[in-house]
Amino acid sequence: MIIVSAKQSLQEQIIQKAWEDAEFKKQLLANPKAAVKDAFGVDLPDTIEVEVVEESANKFYFVLPVNPAEKNDDQVDVPMWL
């Protein structure tokens, strides 16, 4: 049995909504925190910056997460994909 974490589920929901709803996608690209809050009720703290980029057939992005060994106590735990 595979258990999907809440963060994976939310990520999948955000992606699915962006694929199906052009206005949400537009807002997600312009103001991701507001888009996620409006659509899913998730309020990210002001200390977190979120940037959304869209891949294309010829361009993709690789996100290198923070090294856990370098993380300090001042950093907020949020899903790495946000």
Side-chain angles (χ1 to χ4, degrees):
M1 179 168 103
I2 298 174
I3 298 174
V4 177
S5 73
K7 100 176 168 180
Q8 286 176 317
S9 177
L10 180 59
Q11 180 182 13
E12 291 168 2
Q13 290 176 46
I14 292 168
I15 292 168
Q16 189 68 38
K17 184 163 181 65
W19 286 344
E20 296 172 352
D21 183 339
E23 283 303 311
F24 173 74
K25 178 180 172 182
K26 183 178 176 181
Q27 183 185 21
L28 185 64
L29 289 165
N31 189 342
K33 289 171 74 172
V36 171
K37 182 175 181 177
D38 291 348
F40 299 97
V42 175
D43 193 10
L44 296 169
D46 291 337
T47 56
I48 300 296
E49 291 183 43
V50 180
E51 182 178 352
V52 175
V53 294
E54 184 177 14
E55 292 183 350
S56 70
N58 298 321
K59 186 174 188 175
F60 70 96
Y61 298 87
F62 181 85
V63 177
L64 185 61
V66 174
N67 181 338
E70 296 174 1
K71 185 177 174 190
N72 64 47
D73 292 336
D74 294 337
Q75 292 174 318
V76 177
D77 284 326
V78 295
M80 287 186 277
W81 53 268
L82 282 176

